[in-house]
Amino acid sequence: MLRLTAVTLRHQGQTVLDAVTMEARAGELLVVEGGRAAGKTLLLEIAGARRRPDSGTVCIADHDLTALQRDSLPFVRRNVGFVESQPWFVSGMSVLDNVMLVLGARDEPVDWAREAALRALGKVGAVGLAMARTETLCSSARRLAGIARALAGSPPVLLLDDPSASLTAADTGAVLSALLGAVASGAVAVCASADGAFTSAAVRAGARRLRLEGGRLLAGPMPMSVVTGGRAFDRPSASREALP
Amino acid sequence: MKRRRARPSIAVRGAWAMRIIAHGFRRRQATLALGCVAFSIVTVAILVGAAFVSAGRTEPRPFSSTGGAELVAFLRDDLPSVSRDALSVALGRLPGVAGVRLLGGDEALARMRRDLGDRASVLDGVEEGFLPTTLEIALEPGGQGVERADAIAWRLRRMEGITDVDTLRTSDDERLARLQAIDRHSRKVGLALAAATGALALCLAALAMRRPRAEARLLSSLGFTAAAVAAPGAILGGICAAVGAIAGVCVSGLASRIGSAAWWLGSAPVARMTGETRWLAVGSLVVVASAGACLGWFGWRASGRVDDGREIAG
């Protein structure tokens, strides 16, 4: 589903990502851990078609994103649920409207989008935030809203940057549960996290762990699901929308 | 969540576009206010600049200068030429008189046409002999001459053959020259003021564009196409341009009328806005409004750029 091959990115004369190669199958949860400035955010941005690597290829559903023209990229981005390290929203809009907005990019009917947005907020326990204005939210609420926006409409690819930051244990549990639900239905989810507790919990739940150090990706211990042939995570869903 | 995936209809796309545009109108009140302030400043800057440029091109008000004469004696029409010459000689002998020059009616009319310049057409159809023959009398400087002009004029009025005497003050010429000098300086100051206010307006416009640009980047990152991202800004910019153009026509038209009134009242040698200048002001306003719309559109288009300034792809 998601494959990065020899991805290299240089920034200000330094190699931030050095020939990173990774692959995530449909129905798989990956956790990329690493310290500050390890390149986790840049890795996710490249995987989510938000940044172009200096070299290497990025494929989603066998479509090479680096070969796409710029005008084609929105059609990729609208099928990737992305959570930034500091989620940002259209100010002046409610949380519900912001979550709906991502479905507007896919030209979904407004009523359906409203229903899907409420479901996504419900998955992370943030239905109560639906009518709140985004500029009034605290950091944890903004993160929950951002995760709900990424989950809305069940995109086939989920990329989350530090999903547990500033969340309580209960909220982290809800987010992890929502991610497991998404991958159970065939999505691929990649989380970049420096939170050991979240990583451990995710690995216990069947996630594969990777470690990013100095721009190089090191494979972590293989998850039990992969060793045993996979449980729920290896079921690709036929109902998924194909990427354009 | 079962649903049928079909090609999105125009109605669905239109509904989303209307939601975004409506939100743009609601949320961008502050931005629009800032934009209005910036536009107003640009309007004032252009009008100030146009007025001062116009003032610099305005001709001085017709002034019947007599080449340095302080007194003009109007002679009776039926006075024989011999008597005119004798009178001229007699006046030249008066104390305080530096010189006397006889000026025929035709010559006086030609001089008036020359002084009027572009406005000489007002004399079209004037008959020969419209102006009387005059004696231009130059006075000596000092207590015997210029400072006693009124006394000399009173004396001339009592002489045979003279119907009236005008006392001309050279201070009128000095005042005009002073005003023109002030005008030249104020023109430079006005242009500098216009440039400064224009720069300020551009700063405010750039400030007003910051939030829409950030919002455009967000919409782009969510997967909206460039056209969908650009539409709200382009529509808002177009409306602002239309309103700005109408306002510009009204304001400059009003300024033109005020300027014309001020010129005819003779309050100062400024503020006669010609038709050319008026259209210059209107055209400038339209250009500024259009530039604002384009700026907004390019702001939206800039959404495809990432923080380090590199394009995501393409």
Side-chain angles (χ1 to χ4, degrees):
Chain A
M1 173 65 82
L2 173 64
R3 187 174 65 247
L4 279 70
T5 307
V7 167
T8 300
L9 182 71
R10 294 180 188 84
H11 184 61
Q12 294 180 343
Q14 292 189 335
T15 302
V16 185
L17 295 175
D18 187 8
V20 171
T21 297
M22 62 170 272
E23 182 173 5
R25 290 168 292 172
E28 189 176 19
L29 175 61
L30 259 69
V31 178
V32 179
E33 59 180 358
R36 285 177 62 85
K40 304 188 299 294
T41 299
L42 292 172
L43 182 68
L44 291 185
E45 287 182 354
I46 288 173
R50 294 169 178 232
R51 187 179 287 264
R52 184 176 56 179
D54 292 327
S55 63
T57 59
V58 180
C59 293
I60 295 180
D62 293 330
H63 291 271
D64 185 359
L65 305 188
T66 54
L68 291 178
Q69 291 183 346
R70 183 181 172 183
D71 291 342
S72 301
L73 290 176
F75 299 96
V76 176
R77 290 188 204 128
R78 65 181 57 170
N79 286 287
V80 175
F82 196 95
V83 181
E84 302 91 347
S85 56
Q86 292 182 334
W88 43 308
F89 303 92
V90 179
S91 59
M93 270 187 174
S94 67
V95 170
L96 180 63
D97 282 337
N98 266 283
V99 176
M100 286 173 64
L101 205 56
V102 71
L103 300 170
R106 298 182 208 171
D107 293 320
E108 303 286 8
V110 175
D111 293 339
W112 188 88
R114 185 177 292 108
E115 184 186 348
L118 285 170
R119 282 178 185 273
L121 284 167
K123 286 178 185 173
V124 295
V127 176
L129 301 175
M131 301 315 295
R133 298 238 170 193
T134 51
E135 58 267 28
T136 64
L137 299 179
C138 63
S139 58
S140 60
R142 290 178 70 87
R143 186 160 300 280
L144 287 176
I147 294 171
R149 184 173 62 189
L151 291 170
S154 303
V157 178
L158 287 166
L159 303 169
L160 300 92
D161 192 0
D162 228 352
S164 61
S166 71
L167 295 185
T168 63
D171 288 337
T172 303
V175 168
L176 187 56
S177 186
L179 288 177
L180 292 172
V183 297
S185 59
V188 57
V190 179
C191 301
S193 178
D195 181 358
F198 174 80
T199 305
S200 300
V203 168
R204 279 198 302 275
R208 181 152 59 99
R209 183 194 306 195
L210 299 172
R211 182 158 189 82
L212 193 62
E213 282 186 4
R216 289 179 170 274
L217 197 60
L218 311 173
M222 295 296 280
M224 191 59 67
S225 59
V226 173
V227 173
T228 59
R231 294 194 302 264
F233 297 158
D234 288 336
R235 291 180 304 170
S237 169
S239 64
R240 289 283 155 209
E241 297 172 15
L243 284 170
Chain B
M1 209 182 311
K2 300 289 183 186
R3 63 191 174 89
R4 183 175 61 84
R5 181 65 184 169
R7 184 179 178 81
S9 66
I10 294 176
V12 170
R13 289 183 171 175
W16 279 106
M18 288 306 297
R19 283 178 70 88
I20 294 174
I21 291 170
H23 166 72
F25 273 114
R26 284 198 304 271
R27 195 193 66 73
R28 265 192 280 281
Q29 285 175 353
T31 304
L32 282 175
L34 200 56
C36 288
V37 170
F39 188 81
S40 302
I41 292 175
V42 170
T43 304
V44 171
I46 290 173
L47 285 176
V48 168
F52 278 99
V53 168
S54 171
R57 298 177 56 189
T58 303
E59 299 161 13
R61 193 176 182 191
F63 182 77
S64 58
S65 171
T66 53
E70 281 83 23
L71 296 175
V72 177
F74 297 93
L75 305 183
R76 217 172 53 220
D77 290 340
D78 58 349
L79 196 65
S81 59
V82 178
S83 301
R84 290 175 188 168
D85 294 340
L87 190 57
S88 176
V89 172
L91 288 176
R93 290 176 182 164
L94 286 175
V97 173
V100 178
R101 179 169 177 262
L102 183 65
L103 189 70
D106 295 342
E107 191 181 351
L109 190 62
R111 178 189 286 181
M112 184 178 281
R113 286 184 193 279
R114 196 167 56 249
D115 288 342
L116 283 172
D118 292 343
R119 300 168 186 280
S121 57
V122 300
L123 296 176
D124 290 347
V126 172
E127 299 171 357
E128 296 291 325
F130 173 70
L131 294 178
T133 303
T134 54
L135 286 171
E136 294 183 351
I137 302 163
L139 302 181
E140 293 175 349
Q144 291 294 317
V146 173
E147 294 177 10
R148 293 185 60 246
D150 288 336
I152 295 172
W154 180 84
R155 187 172 174 183
L156 290 178
R157 287 191 187 98
R158 297 182 173 280
M159 295 180 73
E160 181 62 28
I162 295 178
T163 57
D164 196 9
V165 177
D166 266 1
T167 306
L168 303 177
R169 302 293 183 188
T170 51
S171 58
D172 284 347
D173 282 333
E174 292 169 2
R175 176 176 169 271
L176 183 63
R178 196 165 55 249
L179 284 173
Q180 285 175 334
I182 292 171
D183 173 41
R184 281 195 298 275
H185 292 301
S186 60
R187 181 184 174 194
K188 293 175 185 172
V189 172
L191 289 174
L193 186 65
T197 49
L200 178 63
L202 284 178
C203 291
L204 286 173
L207 195 63
M209 285 306 302
R210 286 181 59 187
R211 285 182 69 180
R213 281 175 65 92
E215 190 172 293
R217 287 189 57 227
L218 174 59
L219 292 178
S220 180
S221 70
L222 291 178
F224 283 90
T225 60
V229 171
I235 291 173
L236 287 176
I239 292 172
C240 288
V243 171
I246 294 169
V249 170
C250 296
V251 170
S252 57
L254 182 65
S256 172
R257 274 151 184 74
I258 292 172
S260 299
W263 186 85
W264 283 112
L265 288 173
S267 58
V270 295
R272 184 169 72 93
M273 291 187 74
T274 62
E276 179 189 355
T277 310
R278 182 164 62 247
W279 285 112
L280 176 70
V282 174
S284 302
L285 287 166
V286 172
V287 167
V288 168
S290 304
C294 292
L295 192 66
W297 190 79
F298 282 113
W300 289 108
R301 284 286 295 178
S303 58
R305 294 178 180 276
V306 291
D307 290 338
D308 60 0
R310 293 189 312 168
E311 295 208 13
I312 290 175

